[in-house]
Amino acid sequence: MLIKEYRICMPISVEEYRIGQLYMIAKHSRQQSGSGEGIAVIKNESCHHDLHGDGQFTEKRIYLSSRLPSWIASFVPNIFYITEKAWNYYPYTITEHTCSFLPRFSINIESRYENNAGTSDNCLALTPEALEMRVVDNVDIAFDQLQEKHYKPEEDPNTFVSVKTNRGPLKENWKETTSPMMCSYKVVRVKFEVFGLQTRVEEYVHKVIREILLLGHRQAFTWIDEWYGMTMEDLRVYESKMQEETNKIVGVKNEDAKATSSLPSTPTNTPTGNASPTSCHQH
């Protein structure tokens, strides 16, 4: 198993990012869907945890057969999807990715958000054993290179200026000179226990995850004028609209999604051991 801790700073406060994160996920999912592939929302429900309080549970299917590298596509079925389950007890979240076709494959992401510039050494309280295995990767939304196919001038933090907040552009040493400042800490565990392929697959998956994190956090900032000032009620309406449009594109009907979603709503690989929700119900 390969463990990496990604630290992504943004010129946003943790309180603001609660809306910004959800807006970015909903819009990004809509953008990434098309021609029967993309992200279908199966469940979006409120839930509760004795330690973390009230939260939101989502279950999604990520259809991506044509986007896989040929050496992976050669041994997966043509109709291929990954199940994503996420428990959002903001500012702490858990996300799991599994695939019924590949039972020895899993991705587990623990996230916590803090108002600092990535200076917390062990934000997610990893065990000494996990700390020994952990690799820290600082992701810079302003200066790390994005794949050309993902680049859009209007989403470049080097040149973007927010009309509503007057934040940006992000220049050299922006982490030392910008306020507000928050950091998204994400401990990602990738496991693919197949002899001969484990290292290659785990490294490839981390490469993909890093690109997604870089793109998503750039968008969360450069889309700030779209979500800044929204209430949670506004956000839920927007999420519902995006969910309906996305499912229509991917070809998943809400009734069919609910009927075929029979997996339990409990994290199976939660590293903290006590973070699974105690109850979930329809939001």
Side-chain angles (χ1 to χ4, degrees):
M1 180 169 61
L2 189 55
I3 303 176
K4 288 191 176 183
E5 179 177 314
Y6 298 95
R7 299 179 183 180
I8 313 105
C9 292
M10 290 185 295
I12 299 169
S13 71
V14 170
E15 294 72 25
E16 292 169 342
Y17 189 54
R18 183 169 194 171
I19 297 292
Q21 174 203 42
L22 295 172
Y23 181 91
M24 175 268 292
I25 291 172
K27 181 176 177 178
H28 185 80
S29 296
R30 171 66 176 80
Q31 289 186 343
Q32 293 300 304
S33 300
S35 303
E37 291 200 342
I39 303 171
V41 180
I42 308 301
K43 291 183 179 180
N44 190 354
E45 306 170 349
S46 58
C47 59
H48 179 81
H49 186 272
D50 289 342
L51 177 63
H52 302 295
D54 293 333
Q56 195 77 6
F57 169 75
T58 57
E59 180 177 339
K60 301 175 183 178
R61 288 179 185 171
I62 305 171
Y63 295 86
L64 38 60
S65 296
S66 69
R67 306 183 189 191
L68 297 173
S70 58
W71 56 273
I72 291 182
S74 63
F75 62 87
V76 300
N78 289 333
I79 301 175
F80 177 75
Y81 68 83
I82 291 174
T83 297
E84 176 192 282
K85 294 184 177 183
W87 294 261
N88 188 341
Y89 305 105
Y90 198 85
Y92 172 74
T93 65
I94 312 162
T95 307
E96 291 181 354
H97 296 85
T98 56
C99 175
S100 60
F101 180 75
L102 301 170
R104 296 184 178 180
F105 168 76
S106 66
I107 304 170
N108 185 286
I109 304 175
E110 267 192 290
S111 305
R112 188 173 292 279
Y113 311 102
E114 292 187 348
N115 285 315
N116 58 49
T119 52
S120 294
D121 183 58
N122 189 13
C123 178
L124 285 153
L126 300 183
T127 64
E129 294 76 15
L131 287 173
E132 284 290 323
M133 300 173 64
R134 176 191 68 172
V135 176
V136 175
D137 187 340
N138 291 288
V139 179
D140 190 327
I141 66 170
F143 292 99
D144 283 2
Q145 187 171 2
L146 193 67
Q147 290 184 24
E148 186 176 351
K149 64 181 180 180
H150 293 147
Y151 178 81
K152 295 181 181 179
E154 64 272 21
E155 296 176 0
D156 189 341
N158 284 158
T159 56
F160 171 78
V161 179
S162 167
V163 174
K164 290 186 177 180
T165 67
N166 199 35
R167 298 174 200 172
L170 304 185
K171 299 301 183 181
E172 190 175 355
N173 299 321
W174 67 274
K175 293 181 185 179
E176 287 76 42
T177 59
T178 303
S179 181
M181 175 67 62
M182 66 158 284
C183 183
S184 173
Y185 294 85
K186 293 184 175 289
V187 171
V188 181
R189 294 168 169 86
V190 177
K191 182 168 62 175
F192 186 73
E193 297 174 335
V194 176
F195 180 76
L197 288 172
Q198 181 171 0
T199 300
R200 190 177 186 184
V201 170
E202 289 179 356
E203 289 179 347
Y204 169 77
V205 171
H206 267 289
K207 180 180 178 181
V208 172
I209 289 173
R210 193 188 196 281
E211 177 75 6
I212 292 171
L213 293 176
L214 176 59
L215 174 61
H217 286 75
R218 284 167 62 104
Q219 291 175 332
F221 170 52
T222 57
W223 292 346
I224 190 171
D225 288 340
E226 299 175 28
W227 59 259
Y228 190 81
M230 289 180 75
T231 65
M232 187 58 70
E233 290 73 23
D234 296 333
L235 190 280
R236 293 304 179 202
V237 171
Y238 179 78
E239 277 185 326
S240 180
K241 180 175 181 289
M242 290 297 100
Q243 174 180 328
E244 184 177 349
E245 292 182 7
T246 300
N247 285 2
K248 187 179 299 183
I249 292 172
V250 177
V252 175
K253 296 181 180 179
N254 289 336
E255 305 80 40
D256 295 341
K258 291 176 182 177
T260 57
S261 178
S262 58
L263 295 175
S265 300
T266 303
T268 55
N269 298 309
T270 302
T272 55
N274 64 351
S276 58
T278 56
S279 65
C280 288
H281 56 275
Q282 184 97 17
H283 176 75

PDB file of all heavy atoms in Angstrom, residues 43-58:
ATOM      1  N   LYS A  43     -26.568   8.449  -4.364  1.00  0.00           N
ATOM      2  CA  LYS A  43     -27.170   8.884  -3.103  1.00  0.00           C
ATOM      3  C   LYS A  43     -26.584  10.216  -2.678  1.00  0.00           C
ATOM      4  O   LYS A  43     -25.405  10.483  -2.925  1.00  0.00           O
ATOM      5  CB  LYS A  43     -26.934   7.854  -1.990  1.00  0.00           C
ATOM      6  CG  LYS A  43     -27.666   6.539  -2.146  1.00  0.00           C
ATOM      7  CD  LYS A  43     -27.393   5.640  -0.944  1.00  0.00           C
ATOM      8  CE  LYS A  43     -28.128   4.309  -1.060  1.00  0.00           C
ATOM      9  NZ  LYS A  43     -27.857   3.437   0.122  1.00  0.00           N
ATOM     10  N   ASN A  44     -27.418  11.020  -2.036  1.00  0.00           N
ATOM     11  CA  ASN A  44     -26.966  12.266  -1.419  1.00  0.00           C
ATOM     12  C   ASN A  44     -27.843  12.469  -0.187  1.00  0.00           C
ATOM     13  O   ASN A  44     -28.962  12.963  -0.291  1.00  0.00           O
ATOM     14  CB  ASN A  44     -27.092  13.440  -2.403  1.00  0.00           C
ATOM     15  CG  ASN A  44     -26.408  14.699  -1.888  1.00  0.00           C
ATOM     16  OD1 ASN A  44     -25.929  14.741  -0.748  1.00  0.00           O
ATOM     17  ND2 ASN A  44     -26.380  15.733  -2.716  1.00  0.00           N
ATOM     18  N   GLU A  45     -27.328  12.031   0.980  1.00  0.00           N
ATOM     19  CA  GLU A  45     -28.136  11.962   2.182  1.00  0.00           C
ATOM     20  C   GLU A  45     -27.415  12.615   3.362  1.00  0.00           C
ATOM     21  O   GLU A  45     -26.188  12.639   3.405  1.00  0.00           O
ATOM     22  CB  GLU A  45     -28.416  10.496   2.554  1.00  0.00           C
ATOM     23  CG  GLU A  45     -29.025   9.667   1.447  1.00  0.00           C
ATOM     24  CD  GLU A  45     -29.049   8.183   1.792  1.00  0.00           C
ATOM     25  OE1 GLU A  45     -28.404   7.788   2.796  1.00  0.00           O
ATOM     26  OE2 GLU A  45     -29.695   7.441   1.039  1.00  0.00           O
ATOM     27  N   SER A  46     -28.179  13.100   4.316  1.00  0.00           N
ATOM     28  CA  SER A  46     -27.583  13.572   5.558  1.00  0.00           C
ATOM     29  C   SER A  46     -27.245  12.372   6.433  1.00  0.00           C
ATOM     30  O   SER A  46     -27.853  11.306   6.317  1.00  0.00           O
ATOM     31  CB  SER A  46     -28.536  14.522   6.286  1.00  0.00           C
ATOM     32  OG  SER A  46     -29.761  13.882   6.563  1.00  0.00           O
ATOM     33  N   CYS A  47     -26.247  12.508   7.290  1.00  0.00           N
ATOM     34  CA  CYS A  47     -25.858  11.426   8.190  1.00  0.00           C
ATOM     35  C   CYS A  47     -25.321  12.022   9.482  1.00  0.00           C
ATOM     36  O   CYS A  47     -25.077  13.235   9.579  1.00  0.00           O
ATOM     37  CB  CYS A  47     -24.830  10.501   7.546  1.00  0.00           C
ATOM     38  SG  CYS A  47     -23.306  11.306   7.025  1.00  0.00           S
ATOM     39  N   HIS A  48     -25.121  11.171  10.471  1.00  0.00           N
ATOM     40  CA  HIS A  48     -24.667  11.629  11.780  1.00  0.00           C
ATOM     41  C   HIS A  48     -23.632  10.674  12.339  1.00  0.00           C
ATOM     42  O   HIS A  48     -23.708   9.459  12.144  1.00  0.00           O
ATOM     43  CB  HIS A  48     -25.837  11.735  12.759  1.00  0.00           C
ATOM     44  CG  HIS A  48     -25.426  12.187  14.128  1.00  0.00           C
ATOM     45  ND1 HIS A  48     -25.210  13.517  14.431  1.00  0.00           N
ATOM     46  CD2 HIS A  48     -25.153  11.489  15.265  1.00  0.00           C
ATOM     47  CE1 HIS A  48     -24.834  13.612  15.698  1.00  0.00           C
ATOM     48  NE2 HIS A  48     -24.789  12.399  16.227  1.00  0.00           N
ATOM     49  N   HIS A  49     -22.634  11.250  13.024  1.00  0.00           N
ATOM     50  CA  HIS A  49     -21.593  10.468  13.681  1.00  0.00           C
ATOM     51  C   HIS A  49     -21.444  10.961  15.114  1.00  0.00           C
ATOM     52  O   HIS A  49     -21.481  12.168  15.374  1.00  0.00           O
ATOM     53  CB  HIS A  49     -20.266  10.625  12.915  1.00  0.00           C
ATOM     54  CG  HIS A  49     -19.178   9.747  13.438  1.00  0.00           C
ATOM     55  ND1 HIS A  49     -18.337  10.131  14.450  1.00  0.00           N
ATOM     56  CD2 HIS A  49     -18.802   8.499  13.080  1.00  0.00           C
ATOM     57  CE1 HIS A  49     -17.486   9.152  14.696  1.00  0.00           C
ATOM     58  NE2 HIS A  49     -17.741   8.150  13.884  1.00  0.00           N
ATOM     59  N   ASP A  50     -21.288  10.018  16.036  1.00  0.00           N
ATOM     60  CA  ASP A  50     -21.233  10.389  17.453  1.00  0.00           C
ATOM     61  C   ASP A  50     -20.079  11.334  17.760  1.00  0.00           C
ATOM     62  O   ASP A  50     -20.198  12.225  18.603  1.00  0.00           O
ATOM     63  CB  ASP A  50     -21.115   9.127  18.324  1.00  0.00           C
ATOM     64  CG  ASP A  50     -22.405   8.332  18.348  1.00  0.00           C
ATOM     65  OD1 ASP A  50     -23.459   8.912  18.001  1.00  0.00           O
ATOM     66  OD2 ASP A  50     -22.358   7.128  18.676  1.00  0.00           O
ATOM     67  N   LEU A  51     -18.940  11.158  17.082  1.00  0.00           N
ATOM     68  CA  LEU A  51     -17.768  11.998  17.335  1.00  0.00           C
ATOM     69  C   LEU A  51     -17.756  13.255  16.481  1.00  0.00           C
ATOM     70  O   LEU A  51     -17.486  14.354  16.961  1.00  0.00           O
ATOM     71  CB  LEU A  51     -16.482  11.189  17.089  1.00  0.00           C
ATOM     72  CG  LEU A  51     -15.158  11.949  17.237  1.00  0.00           C
ATOM     73  CD1 LEU A  51     -14.981  12.456  18.673  1.00  0.00           C
ATOM     74  CD2 LEU A  51     -13.981  11.048  16.844  1.00  0.00           C
ATOM     75  N   HIS A  52     -18.066  13.108  15.194  1.00  0.00           N
ATOM     76  CA  HIS A  52     -17.907  14.216  14.241  1.00  0.00           C
ATOM     77  C   HIS A  52     -19.181  15.033  14.027  1.00  0.00           C
ATOM     78  O   HIS A  52     -19.133  16.080  13.388  1.00  0.00           O
ATOM     79  CB  HIS A  52     -17.398  13.678  12.897  1.00  0.00           C
ATOM     80  CG  HIS A  52     -16.094  12.952  12.992  1.00  0.00           C
ATOM     81  ND1 HIS A  52     -14.924  13.578  13.360  1.00  0.00           N
ATOM     82  CD2 HIS A  52     -15.781  11.642  12.787  1.00  0.00           C
ATOM     83  CE1 HIS A  52     -13.947  12.690  13.364  1.00  0.00           C
ATOM     84  NE2 HIS A  52     -14.439  11.515  13.028  1.00  0.00           N
ATOM     85  N   GLY A  53     -20.315  14.543  14.521  1.00  0.00           N
ATOM     86  CA  GLY A  53     -21.545  15.310  14.402  1.00  0.00           C
ATOM     87  C   GLY A  53     -22.306  15.038  13.112  1.00  0.00           C
ATOM     88  O   GLY A  53     -22.181  13.984  12.504  1.00  0.00           O
ATOM     89  N   ASP A  54     -23.115  16.032  12.706  1.00  0.00           N
ATOM     90  CA  ASP A  54     -23.921  15.894  11.493  1.00  0.00           C
ATOM     91  C   ASP A  54     -23.061  16.061  10.253  1.00  0.00           C
ATOM     92  O   ASP A  54     -22.120  16.859  10.225  1.00  0.00           O
ATOM     93  CB  ASP A  54     -25.043  16.943  11.479  1.00  0.00           C
ATOM     94  CG  ASP A  54     -26.075  16.700  12.563  1.00  0.00           C
ATOM     95  OD1 ASP A  54     -26.241  15.530  12.959  1.00  0.00           O
ATOM     96  OD2 ASP A  54     -26.695  17.675  13.021  1.00  0.00           O
ATOM     97  N   GLY A  55     -23.407  15.309   9.209  1.00  0.00           N
ATOM     98  CA  GLY A  55     -22.644  15.384   7.968  1.00  0.00           C
ATOM     99  C   GLY A  55     -23.500  15.014   6.783  1.00  0.00           C
ATOM    100  O   GLY A  55     -24.728  14.910   6.873  1.00  0.00           O
ATOM    101  N   GLN A  56     -22.841  14.806   5.653  1.00  0.00           N
ATOM    102  CA  GLN A  56     -23.518  14.465   4.409  1.00  0.00           C
ATOM    103  C   GLN A  56     -22.846  13.253   3.787  1.00  0.00           C
ATOM    104  O   GLN A  56     -21.623  13.210   3.653  1.00  0.00           O
ATOM    105  CB  GLN A  56     -23.474  15.655   3.429  1.00  0.00           C
ATOM    106  CG  GLN A  56     -24.447  15.543   2.268  1.00  0.00           C
ATOM    107  CD  GLN A  56     -25.885  15.859   2.666  1.00  0.00           C
ATOM    108  OE1 GLN A  56     -26.155  16.282   3.799  1.00  0.00           O
ATOM    109  NE2 GLN A  56     -26.820  15.648   1.763  1.00  0.00           N
ATOM    110  N   PHE A  57     -23.648  12.256   3.429  1.00  0.00           N
ATOM    111  CA  PHE A  57     -23.143  11.050   2.770  1.00  0.00           C
ATOM    112  C   PHE A  57     -23.508  11.092   1.293  1.00  0.00           C
ATOM    113  O   PHE A  57     -24.655  11.374   0.934  1.00  0.00           O
ATOM    114  CB  PHE A  57     -23.736   9.793   3.406  1.00  0.00           C
ATOM    115  CG  PHE A  57     -23.473   8.535   2.616  1.00  0.00           C
ATOM    116  CD1 PHE A  57     -22.225   7.944   2.628  1.00  0.00           C
ATOM    117  CD2 PHE A  57     -24.475   7.960   1.844  1.00  0.00           C
ATOM    118  CE1 PHE A  57     -21.978   6.788   1.891  1.00  0.00           C
ATOM    119  CE2 PHE A  57     -24.238   6.807   1.102  1.00  0.00           C
ATOM    120  CZ  PHE A  57     -22.982   6.216   1.135  1.00  0.00           C
ATOM    121  N   THR A  58     -22.549  10.816   0.423  1.00  0.00           N
ATOM    122  CA  THR A  58     -22.825  10.718  -1.010  1.00  0.00           C
ATOM    123  C   THR A  58     -22.242   9.419  -1.545  1.00  0.00           C
ATOM    124  O   THR A  58     -21.197   8.948  -1.092  1.00  0.00           O
ATOM    125  CB  THR A  58     -22.228  11.891  -1.811  1.00  0.00           C
ATOM    126  OG1 THR A  58     -20.811  11.964  -1.584  1.00  0.00           O
ATOM    127  CG2 THR A  58     -22.873  13.205  -1.428  1.00  0.00           C
TER     128      THR A  58
END
